């Protein structure tokens, strides 16, 4: 019997999963692999040819946009795309795949996939760094063919059997969005950490997940039995029967606790001395709407609109966006929904949006969030039109991500007005007045200038994830610095307090929607800093509500006062934990 192995990482989504490992090869696209009868060989070869033609058209389109860009970046991209086009002509990749279909009688997807693996092996064996680097190009082109063959949207884990635990070197937020909880019960990866978007997505789906588990992929094979403890940050491969029994008991206890908290659903989030707090939900995917209702959320404080743009090669049309937004807004009825415009960035690239902009320009300090939207105003205008149309059926607010200049808010307002005017001309009814427009306070410069920003915006939503990242210069998704990511750093707390005070003075609403908001450990401090509206992943609402109901607002204010006099985050943590233990 295989030996039990243990791996440690960060538990980023609580709960225990016991299932069968489904190991994802890095960079691979999951495709169906089928044997075909002889009389279908020609048909499969034709499908391959069509996918090649489509890939060439797609690349030429990107190339024509790249050519419009001046400078060396545009030139380099043009050369690279030339090389891709070449690989799609009479190359080993295409010829090899064609022959495999005939010789091995397999479908086109399986043939392309096998050919990529073969070429990669040959290249890697050559021990030449230039040729080794070309392996990535072959994969890129091959994966495009696979996507064209399987037709978008891409379903990366559709081949995983029921009760699977996905094991990967890295899971992007877009990958994670594709994990179907009916089929996949947990996930673990070698890279990533608790504050990144992959972790947020895993929590949204309620999938026990461990990230940053060093050495994991070397120690596990598809089909192995695996336990993921997303609370403790532990993965066990090939567990002994006695280990499984122990974790089954943990799992039962975790489920019992969750059910107990469900009873709070219809109770108000009110402190013992009568302060009413609003608890809203952060939503990544429409699939969460059941959970939003079940958790008793008073509204959606953050709808991350990226879900509409993920896992596809094109930009969703206005109508598609309207449908997706209505599926969320309709469920909420009279409760407010805060729709954030696209926050595409380093962790969440969307190829179709690059439109001639080279990939390296989109980074955490580059064209992220509102910056990319303002560089592609047509995409933003379409998004505004969709939001305005969907807003007719509910109470909607619009939120701008990554704002660092007051001018960005003004420009966004102008684009919203333009979108509204276009809809008027089309005879479409839209809300009058236009929905409130607020900004995420998540860049330190915006927090420091919160009083000025309050003059230009209708509300604030504090993004403590990015605010911590940018204030402390710590990449939120990087497992190497995960231990340094500290929202209790006095620098971060001062920025939160300054923002809350500025909003209060300007009489505009302020909420917090970073991961801090969903951790009951921080509730007393956030309330003490003047925040009365918290937005979080739906499953966190009951726990935070429970904490609020046992707390005294006056005492929380006093403790926050003491905490804000401290300079050391260790001391702050102790003062906070002592206060929490008193309740
Ligand atoms: C944040 O930065 O805190 C936030 C809520 O936005 P996101 O996590 O989507 O970057
Ligand atoms: Mg953010």
């Amino acid at each position: 019997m295989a030996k039990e192995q243990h791996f440690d990482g960060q538990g980023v989504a609580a709960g225990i999963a016991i299932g069968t490992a489904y190991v994802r090869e890095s960079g691979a696209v999951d495709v169906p692999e089928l044997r075909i009868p002889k009389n279908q060989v020609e048909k499969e070869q034709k499908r391959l040819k069509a996918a090649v033609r489509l890939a060439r058209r797609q690349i030429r389109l990107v190339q024509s946009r790249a050519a419009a860009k001046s400078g060396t970046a545009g030139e380099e991209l043009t050369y690279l795309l030339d090389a891709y086009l070449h690989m799609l002509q009479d190359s080993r990749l295409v010829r090899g795949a064609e022959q495999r279909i005939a010789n091995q009688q397999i479908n086109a997807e399986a043939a392309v996939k096998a050919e990529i693996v073969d070429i990669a092996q040959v290249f890697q064996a050559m021990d030449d760094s230039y040729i080794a680097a070309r392996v990535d190009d072959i994969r890129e082109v091959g994966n495009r063919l696979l996507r064209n063959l399987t037709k978008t949207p891409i379903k990366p884990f559709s081949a995983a059997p029921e009760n699977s635990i996905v094991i990967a070197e890295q899971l992007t937020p877009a990958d994670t969005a594709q994990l179907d909880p009916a089929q996949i019960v947990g996930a673990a990866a070698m890279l990533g950490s608790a504050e990144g978007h992959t972790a947020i997505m895993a929590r949204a789906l309620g999938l026990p997940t461990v990230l940053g588990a060093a050495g994991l992929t070397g120690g596990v094979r598809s089909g192995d039995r695996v336990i993921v403890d997303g609370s403790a940050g532990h993965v066990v491969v090939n567990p002994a029967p006695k280990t499984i029994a122990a974790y089954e008991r943990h799992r039962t206890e975790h489920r019992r606790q969750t059910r107990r908290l469900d009873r709070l659903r219809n109770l108000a989030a009110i402190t013992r001395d009568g302060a009413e707090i609003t608890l809203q939900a952060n939503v990544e995917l429409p699939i969460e709407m059941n959970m939003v209702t079940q958790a008793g959320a008073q509204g959606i404080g953050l709808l991350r609109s990226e879900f509409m743009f993920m896992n596809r090669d094109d930009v969703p049309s206005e109508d598609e966006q309207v449908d997706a937004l209505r599926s969320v807004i309709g469920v909420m009825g009279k409760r407010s929904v805060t729709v954030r415009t696209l926050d595409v960035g380093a962790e969440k690239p969307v190829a179709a949006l690059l439109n001639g902009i080279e990939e390296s320009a989109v980074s955490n300090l580059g064209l992220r969030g509102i910056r990319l939207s303002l560089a592609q105003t047509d995409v933003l205008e379409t998004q505004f039109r969709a939001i305005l149309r969907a807003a007719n059926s509910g109470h909607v607010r619009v939120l701008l991500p990554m704002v660092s200049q007051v001018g960005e808010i003004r420009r966004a307002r102008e684009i919203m007005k333009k979108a509204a005017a276009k809809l008027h001309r089309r005879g479409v009814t839209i809300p009058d007045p236009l929905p409130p427009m607020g900004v995420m306070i998540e860049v330190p410069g915006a927090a420091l200038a919160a009083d000025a920003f309050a003059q230009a915006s209708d509300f604030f939503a504090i993004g403590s994830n990015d605010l911590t990242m940018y204030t402390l210069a710590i990449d939120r998704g990087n497992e190497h610095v995960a231990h340094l990511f500290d929202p209790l750093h006095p620098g971060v707390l001062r920025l939160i307090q300054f923002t809350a005070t500025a909003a209060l003075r300007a009489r505009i609403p302020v909420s917090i929607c970073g991961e801090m908001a969903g951790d009951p450990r921080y509730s007393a401090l956030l309330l003490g800093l003047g925040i009365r509206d918290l937005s979080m992943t739906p499953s966190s609402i009951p726990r935070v509500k429970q904490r609020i109901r046992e707390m005294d607002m006056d005492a929380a204010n006093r403790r926050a006062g003491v905490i804000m006099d401290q300079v050391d985050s260790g001391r702050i943590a102790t003062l906070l934990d002592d206060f929490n233990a008193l309740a």
Side-chain angles (χ1 to χ4, degrees), residues 66-83:
K69 273 189 84 66
S70 54
T72 45
E75 237 169 70
E76 264 177 38
L77 187 59
T78 312
Y79 286 139
L80 180 66
L81 294 172
D82 259 342

Side-chain angles (χ1 to χ4, degrees), residues 279-336:
L279 299 185
Q280 303 198 71
N282 289 354
V283 170
E284 327 297 312
L285 298 167
I287 186 181
E288 286 177 85
M289 291 314 289
N290 270 346
M291 191 59 213
V292 171
T293 323
Q294 207 180 316
Q298 289 165 272
I300 292 177
L302 170 63
L303 177 63
R304 289 182 168 101
S305 62
E306 293 82 72
F307 76 89
M308 294 184 271
F309 294 74
M310 277 177 186
N311 293 310
R312 53 188 296 159
D313 278 342
D314 56 352
V315 175
S317 70
E318 183 185 315
D319 285 350
E320 272 178 273
Q321 293 188 46
V322 173
D323 288 346
L325 290 170
R326 279 192 185 139
S327 72
V328 171
I329 295 167
V331 176
M332 296 311 283
K334 289 200 168 63
R335 288 171 291 176
S336 115

